[in-house]
Amino acid sequence: MTQDELKALVGQAALAYVVPGSIVGVGTGSTVNCFIDALATMKDQIAGAVSSSIKSTERLKAHGIPVLDSNEVTAIPVYIDGADEIDHHGYMVKGGGAALTREKIVADLAERFICIADESKLVDVMGAFPLPVEVIPMAASQVIRRFASQYGGQASIRAGVTTDNGNVIVDVRGLQISDPLAMENEVNQWPGVVTVGIFGHHKARVCLLGTSQGVRTLNF
């Protein structure tokens, strides 16, 4: 199966985790687009969605799915989103679509994070995918220097990208994220960092992994 077919497969499989009558947390990215398209087939059975990006909001609304502001919602049963990397403990690197901060906000509302991904995203140790960090522009050079001195990472500003919050994305290469929780705690304290794209405190509870043999379910 092609990567697009695997994405469609897990997007469809994620419908099983949608609680009828509830509000659904919806992430960002190409795999999530497949989920949104599948969600449209049961839009009359849900109360609406909370979205993590402008692009996802536009796609949900195009399907006639009501989108609620996160400030109007106190809790949601599930948040369904993809990942750039996920390890065997459910920790993830996210932010390839530059929506990591809003994704973390919606994930924080959710009782469970359901990750949908193709099998290429499952890794033993995260870091091969450049780690995204949302940074207030005036702090970008400081953050880049600090990654070099503290972690030996090679960081650079992602060209031509401004987040939905008006900030830049710094991508960090050359890392081995052996302790995701510790790195998330540390980097989030640096002045100017809005959030780092390590989802340790908001890890996946379930991963629906698209494989050539079908959908593989991982529970964490």
PDB file of all heavy atoms in Angstrom, residues 150-177:
ATOM      1  N   GLN A 150      24.055  23.072  24.742  1.00  0.00           N
ATOM      2  CA  GLN A 150      23.527  22.157  25.753  1.00  0.00           C
ATOM      3  C   GLN A 150      23.301  20.745  25.228  1.00  0.00           C
ATOM      4  O   GLN A 150      23.463  19.771  25.954  1.00  0.00           O
ATOM      5  CB  GLN A 150      22.224  22.715  26.320  1.00  0.00           C
ATOM      6  CG  GLN A 150      21.779  22.042  27.615  1.00  0.00           C
ATOM      7  CD  GLN A 150      20.906  22.972  28.447  1.00  0.00           C
ATOM      8  OE1 GLN A 150      21.037  24.193  28.384  1.00  0.00           O
ATOM      9  NE2 GLN A 150      20.032  22.388  29.236  1.00  0.00           N
ATOM     10  N   TYR A 151      22.933  20.639  23.942  1.00  0.00           N
ATOM     11  CA  TYR A 151      22.592  19.320  23.397  1.00  0.00           C
ATOM     12  C   TYR A 151      23.403  18.944  22.165  1.00  0.00           C
ATOM     13  O   TYR A 151      23.240  17.842  21.640  1.00  0.00           O
ATOM     14  CB  TYR A 151      21.100  19.261  23.048  1.00  0.00           C
ATOM     15  CG  TYR A 151      20.185  19.315  24.254  1.00  0.00           C
ATOM     16  CD1 TYR A 151      19.443  20.465  24.536  1.00  0.00           C
ATOM     17  CD2 TYR A 151      20.052  18.220  25.112  1.00  0.00           C
ATOM     18  CE1 TYR A 151      18.594  20.526  25.633  1.00  0.00           C
ATOM     19  CE2 TYR A 151      19.209  18.272  26.206  1.00  0.00           C
ATOM     20  CZ  TYR A 151      18.482  19.424  26.469  1.00  0.00           C
ATOM     21  OH  TYR A 151      17.652  19.467  27.560  1.00  0.00           O
ATOM     22  N   GLY A 152      24.234  19.853  21.680  1.00  0.00           N
ATOM     23  CA  GLY A 152      24.990  19.573  20.464  1.00  0.00           C
ATOM     24  C   GLY A 152      24.120  19.516  19.222  1.00  0.00           C
ATOM     25  O   GLY A 152      24.511  18.928  18.211  1.00  0.00           O
ATOM     26  N   GLY A 153      22.958  20.149  19.285  1.00  0.00           N
ATOM     27  CA  GLY A 153      22.038  20.135  18.157  1.00  0.00           C
ATOM     28  C   GLY A 153      22.306  21.271  17.193  1.00  0.00           C
ATOM     29  O   GLY A 153      22.740  22.359  17.591  1.00  0.00           O
ATOM     30  N   GLN A 154      22.068  21.024  15.927  1.00  0.00           N
ATOM     31  CA  GLN A 154      22.202  22.059  14.901  1.00  0.00           C
ATOM     32  C   GLN A 154      20.807  22.591  14.581  1.00  0.00           C
ATOM     33  O   GLN A 154      19.993  21.877  13.992  1.00  0.00           O
ATOM     34  CB  GLN A 154      22.859  21.506  13.641  1.00  0.00           C
ATOM     35  CG  GLN A 154      24.279  20.995  13.846  1.00  0.00           C
ATOM     36  CD  GLN A 154      24.320  19.556  14.350  1.00  0.00           C
ATOM     37  OE1 GLN A 154      23.674  18.687  13.787  1.00  0.00           O
ATOM     38  NE2 GLN A 154      25.077  19.321  15.408  1.00  0.00           N
ATOM     39  N   ALA A 155      20.549  23.828  14.988  1.00  0.00           N
ATOM     40  CA  ALA A 155      19.211  24.397  14.864  1.00  0.00           C
ATOM     41  C   ALA A 155      19.188  25.524  13.836  1.00  0.00           C
ATOM     42  O   ALA A 155      20.181  26.230  13.649  1.00  0.00           O
ATOM     43  CB  ALA A 155      18.729  24.912  16.217  1.00  0.00           C
ATOM     44  N   SER A 156      18.043  25.679  13.204  1.00  0.00           N
ATOM     45  CA  SER A 156      17.865  26.775  12.247  1.00  0.00           C
ATOM     46  C   SER A 156      16.390  27.133  12.182  1.00  0.00           C
ATOM     47  O   SER A 156      15.519  26.318  12.485  1.00  0.00           O
ATOM     48  CB  SER A 156      18.370  26.370  10.859  1.00  0.00           C
ATOM     49  OG  SER A 156      17.675  25.226  10.380  1.00  0.00           O
ATOM     50  N   ILE A 157      16.122  28.378  11.781  1.00  0.00           N
ATOM     51  CA  ILE A 157      14.747  28.828  11.617  1.00  0.00           C
ATOM     52  C   ILE A 157      14.176  28.224  10.336  1.00  0.00           C
ATOM     53  O   ILE A 157      14.836  28.228   9.293  1.00  0.00           O
ATOM     54  CB  ILE A 157      14.682  30.365  11.556  1.00  0.00           C
ATOM     55  CG1 ILE A 157      15.136  30.967  12.888  1.00  0.00           C
ATOM     56  CG2 ILE A 157      13.269  30.843  11.221  1.00  0.00           C
ATOM     57  CD1 ILE A 157      15.263  32.477  12.869  1.00  0.00           C
ATOM     58  N   ARG A 158      12.964  27.677  10.419  1.00  0.00           N
ATOM     59  CA  ARG A 158      12.317  27.118   9.233  1.00  0.00           C
ATOM     60  C   ARG A 158      11.921  28.263   8.300  1.00  0.00           C
ATOM     61  O   ARG A 158      11.123  29.129   8.670  1.00  0.00           O
ATOM     62  CB  ARG A 158      11.094  26.296   9.632  1.00  0.00           C
ATOM     63  CG  ARG A 158      10.513  25.456   8.483  1.00  0.00           C
ATOM     64  CD  ARG A 158       9.276  24.691   8.905  1.00  0.00           C
ATOM     65  NE  ARG A 158       9.521  23.787  10.027  1.00  0.00           N
ATOM     66  CZ  ARG A 158       8.569  23.059  10.598  1.00  0.00           C
ATOM     67  NH1 ARG A 158       7.316  23.146  10.171  1.00  0.00           N
ATOM     68  NH2 ARG A 158       8.866  22.259  11.627  1.00  0.00           N
ATOM     69  N   ALA A 159      12.463  28.250   7.120  1.00  0.00           N
ATOM     70  CA  ALA A 159      12.289  29.368   6.183  1.00  0.00           C
ATOM     71  C   ALA A 159      10.843  29.503   5.732  1.00  0.00           C
ATOM     72  O   ALA A 159      10.178  28.506   5.408  1.00  0.00           O
ATOM     73  CB  ALA A 159      13.200  29.181   4.975  1.00  0.00           C
ATOM     74  N   GLY A 160      10.367  30.740   5.725  1.00  0.00           N
ATOM     75  CA  GLY A 160       9.062  31.036   5.156  1.00  0.00           C
ATOM     76  C   GLY A 160       7.877  30.575   5.978  1.00  0.00           C
ATOM     77  O   GLY A 160       6.753  30.560   5.470  1.00  0.00           O
ATOM     78  N   VAL A 161       8.114  30.204   7.242  1.00  0.00           N
ATOM     79  CA  VAL A 161       7.025  29.677   8.069  1.00  0.00           C
ATOM     80  C   VAL A 161       6.752  30.608   9.239  1.00  0.00           C
ATOM     81  O   VAL A 161       7.662  30.973   9.995  1.00  0.00           O
ATOM     82  CB  VAL A 161       7.367  28.266   8.604  1.00  0.00           C
ATOM     83  CG1 VAL A 161       6.303  27.786   9.596  1.00  0.00           C
ATOM     84  CG2 VAL A 161       7.494  27.282   7.447  1.00  0.00           C
ATOM     85  N   THR A 162       5.505  30.999   9.377  1.00  0.00           N
ATOM     86  CA  THR A 162       5.026  31.713  10.557  1.00  0.00           C
ATOM     87  C   THR A 162       3.872  30.912  11.127  1.00  0.00           C
ATOM     88  O   THR A 162       2.971  30.499  10.387  1.00  0.00           O
ATOM     89  CB  THR A 162       4.547  33.135  10.200  1.00  0.00           C
ATOM     90  OG1 THR A 162       5.632  33.860   9.608  1.00  0.00           O
ATOM     91  CG2 THR A 162       4.068  33.872  11.437  1.00  0.00           C
ATOM     92  N   THR A 163       3.881  30.643  12.429  1.00  0.00           N
ATOM     93  CA  THR A 163       2.823  29.842  13.031  1.00  0.00           C
ATOM     94  C   THR A 163       1.513  30.621  13.089  1.00  0.00           C
ATOM     95  O   THR A 163       1.482  31.834  12.891  1.00  0.00           O
ATOM     96  CB  THR A 163       3.201  29.414  14.464  1.00  0.00           C
ATOM     97  OG1 THR A 163       3.142  30.570  15.323  1.00  0.00           O
ATOM     98  CG2 THR A 163       4.601  28.818  14.510  1.00  0.00           C
ATOM     99  N   ASP A 164       0.426  29.912  13.399  1.00  0.00           N
ATOM    100  CA  ASP A 164      -0.875  30.560  13.571  1.00  0.00           C
ATOM    101  C   ASP A 164      -0.842  31.564  14.721  1.00  0.00           C
ATOM    102  O   ASP A 164      -1.723  32.416  14.833  1.00  0.00           O
ATOM    103  CB  ASP A 164      -1.960  29.508  13.846  1.00  0.00           C
ATOM    104  CG  ASP A 164      -2.305  28.679  12.609  1.00  0.00           C
ATOM    105  OD1 ASP A 164      -1.886  29.068  11.499  1.00  0.00           O
ATOM    106  OD2 ASP A 164      -2.990  27.652  12.758  1.00  0.00           O
ATOM    107  N   ASN A 165       0.182  31.465  15.565  1.00  0.00           N
ATOM    108  CA  ASN A 165       0.331  32.387  16.698  1.00  0.00           C
ATOM    109  C   ASN A 165       1.283  33.545  16.393  1.00  0.00           C
ATOM    110  O   ASN A 165       1.573  34.360  17.264  1.00  0.00           O
ATOM    111  CB  ASN A 165       0.852  31.624  17.925  1.00  0.00           C
ATOM    112  CG  ASN A 165       0.016  30.396  18.225  1.00  0.00           C
ATOM    113  OD1 ASN A 165      -1.204  30.460  18.278  1.00  0.00           O
ATOM    114  ND2 ASN A 165       0.674  29.253  18.393  1.00  0.00           N
ATOM    115  N   GLY A 166       1.817  33.588  15.171  1.00  0.00           N
ATOM    116  CA  GLY A 166       2.691  34.681  14.759  1.00  0.00           C
ATOM    117  C   GLY A 166       4.149  34.499  15.123  1.00  0.00           C
ATOM    118  O   GLY A 166       4.929  35.466  15.102  1.00  0.00           O
ATOM    119  N   ASN A 167       4.562  33.279  15.409  1.00  0.00           N
ATOM    120  CA  ASN A 167       5.946  33.006  15.818  1.00  0.00           C
ATOM    121  C   ASN A 167       6.702  32.234  14.741  1.00  0.00           C
ATOM    122  O   ASN A 167       6.144  31.877  13.705  1.00  0.00           O
ATOM    123  CB  ASN A 167       5.946  32.226  17.136  1.00  0.00           C
ATOM    124  CG  ASN A 167       5.306  33.009  18.255  1.00  0.00           C
ATOM    125  OD1 ASN A 167       5.634  34.169  18.477  1.00  0.00           O
ATOM    126  ND2 ASN A 167       4.374  32.394  18.972  1.00  0.00           N
ATOM    127  N   VAL A 168       7.992  31.961  15.009  1.00  0.00           N
ATOM    128  CA  VAL A 168       8.807  31.173  14.088  1.00  0.00           C
ATOM    129  C   VAL A 168       8.952  29.748  14.609  1.00  0.00           C
ATOM    130  O   VAL A 168       8.715  29.464  15.787  1.00  0.00           O
ATOM    131  CB  VAL A 168      10.210  31.802  13.889  1.00  0.00           C
ATOM    132  CG1 VAL A 168      10.083  33.192  13.284  1.00  0.00           C
ATOM    133  CG2 VAL A 168      10.998  31.842  15.203  1.00  0.00           C
ATOM    134  N   ILE A 169       9.341  28.863  13.714  1.00  0.00           N
ATOM    135  CA  ILE A 169       9.683  27.487  14.083  1.00  0.00           C
ATOM    136  C   ILE A 169      11.188  27.313  13.941  1.00  0.00           C
ATOM    137  O   ILE A 169      11.761  27.612  12.888  1.00  0.00           O
ATOM    138  CB  ILE A 169       8.959  26.456  13.198  1.00  0.00           C
ATOM    139  CG1 ILE A 169       7.445  26.521  13.390  1.00  0.00           C
ATOM    140  CG2 ILE A 169       9.481  25.043  13.481  1.00  0.00           C
ATOM    141  CD1 ILE A 169       6.954  26.050  14.744  1.00  0.00           C
ATOM    142  N   VAL A 170      11.821  26.858  15.007  1.00  0.00           N
ATOM    143  CA  VAL A 170      13.228  26.470  14.973  1.00  0.00           C
ATOM    144  C   VAL A 170      13.273  24.949  14.903  1.00  0.00           C
ATOM    145  O   VAL A 170      12.670  24.258  15.739  1.00  0.00           O
ATOM    146  CB  VAL A 170      13.969  26.980  16.228  1.00  0.00           C
ATOM    147  CG1 VAL A 170      15.350  26.347  16.331  1.00  0.00           C
ATOM    148  CG2 VAL A 170      14.078  28.504  16.196  1.00  0.00           C
ATOM    149  N   ASP A 171      13.927  24.410  13.880  1.00  0.00           N
ATOM    150  CA  ASP A 171      14.078  22.965  13.723  1.00  0.00           C
ATOM    151  C   ASP A 171      15.481  22.561  14.171  1.00  0.00           C
ATOM    152  O   ASP A 171      16.466  23.174  13.757  1.00  0.00           O
ATOM    153  CB  ASP A 171      13.870  22.554  12.264  1.00  0.00           C
ATOM    154  CG  ASP A 171      12.419  22.677  11.821  1.00  0.00           C
ATOM    155  OD1 ASP A 171      11.537  22.258  12.590  1.00  0.00           O
ATOM    156  OD2 ASP A 171      12.171  23.179  10.706  1.00  0.00           O
ATOM    157  N   VAL A 172      15.540  21.516  14.998  1.00  0.00           N
ATOM    158  CA  VAL A 172      16.821  21.100  15.578  1.00  0.00           C
ATOM    159  C   VAL A 172      17.189  19.706  15.074  1.00  0.00           C
ATOM    160  O   VAL A 172      16.441  18.734  15.271  1.00  0.00           O
ATOM    161  CB  VAL A 172      16.758  21.094  17.121  1.00  0.00           C
ATOM    162  CG1 VAL A 172      18.160  20.929  17.696  1.00  0.00           C
ATOM    163  CG2 VAL A 172      16.104  22.364  17.647  1.00  0.00           C
ATOM    164  N   ARG A 173      18.357  19.615  14.458  1.00  0.00           N
ATOM    165  CA  ARG A 173      18.858  18.345  13.930  1.00  0.00           C
ATOM    166  C   ARG A 173      19.997  17.826  14.800  1.00  0.00           C
ATOM    167  O   ARG A 173      20.581  18.568  15.574  1.00  0.00           O
ATOM    168  CB  ARG A 173      19.332  18.530  12.485  1.00  0.00           C
ATOM    169  CG  ARG A 173      18.183  18.880  11.533  1.00  0.00           C
ATOM    170  CD  ARG A 173      18.659  19.398  10.186  1.00  0.00           C
ATOM    171  NE  ARG A 173      17.530  19.558   9.261  1.00  0.00           N
ATOM    172  CZ  ARG A 173      16.685  20.585   9.277  1.00  0.00           C
ATOM    173  NH1 ARG A 173      16.865  21.575  10.168  1.00  0.00           N
ATOM    174  NH2 ARG A 173      15.678  20.651   8.421  1.00  0.00           N
ATOM    175  N   GLY A 174      20.262  16.548  14.652  1.00  0.00           N
ATOM    176  CA  GLY A 174      21.401  15.966  15.348  1.00  0.00           C
ATOM    177  C   GLY A 174      21.134  15.586  16.793  1.00  0.00           C
ATOM    178  O   GLY A 174      22.074  15.434  17.577  1.00  0.00           O
ATOM    179  N   LEU A 175      19.862  15.406  17.157  1.00  0.00           N
ATOM    180  CA  LEU A 175      19.522  15.039  18.537  1.00  0.00           C
ATOM    181  C   LEU A 175      19.233  13.543  18.650  1.00  0.00           C
ATOM    182  O   LEU A 175      18.810  12.901  17.690  1.00  0.00           O
ATOM    183  CB  LEU A 175      18.275  15.808  18.999  1.00  0.00           C
ATOM    184  CG  LEU A 175      18.352  17.334  19.033  1.00  0.00           C
ATOM    185  CD1 LEU A 175      16.988  17.898  19.410  1.00  0.00           C
ATOM    186  CD2 LEU A 175      19.417  17.804  20.017  1.00  0.00           C
ATOM    187  N   GLN A 176      19.452  13.032  19.848  1.00  0.00           N
ATOM    188  CA  GLN A 176      18.946  11.712  20.230  1.00  0.00           C
ATOM    189  C   GLN A 176      18.124  11.942  21.488  1.00  0.00           C
ATOM    190  O   GLN A 176      18.679  12.236  22.562  1.00  0.00           O
ATOM    191  CB  GLN A 176      20.080  10.726  20.488  1.00  0.00           C
ATOM    192  CG  GLN A 176      20.698  10.156  19.227  1.00  0.00           C
ATOM    193  CD  GLN A 176      20.991   8.669  19.358  1.00  0.00           C
ATOM    194  OE1 GLN A 176      21.360   8.182  20.419  1.00  0.00           O
ATOM    195  NE2 GLN A 176      20.813   7.933  18.276  1.00  0.00           N
ATOM    196  N   ILE A 177      16.809  11.818  21.357  1.00  0.00           N
ATOM    197  CA  ILE A 177      15.917  12.170  22.467  1.00  0.00           C
ATOM    198  C   ILE A 177      15.672  10.920  23.300  1.00  0.00           C
ATOM    199  O   ILE A 177      14.648  10.231  23.185  1.00  0.00           O
ATOM    200  CB  ILE A 177      14.614  12.783  21.932  1.00  0.00           C
ATOM    201  CG1 ILE A 177      14.941  13.962  20.999  1.00  0.00           C
ATOM    202  CG2 ILE A 177      13.714  13.258  23.077  1.00  0.00           C
ATOM    203  CD1 ILE A 177      13.747  14.543  20.267  1.00  0.00           C
TER     204      ILE A 177
END
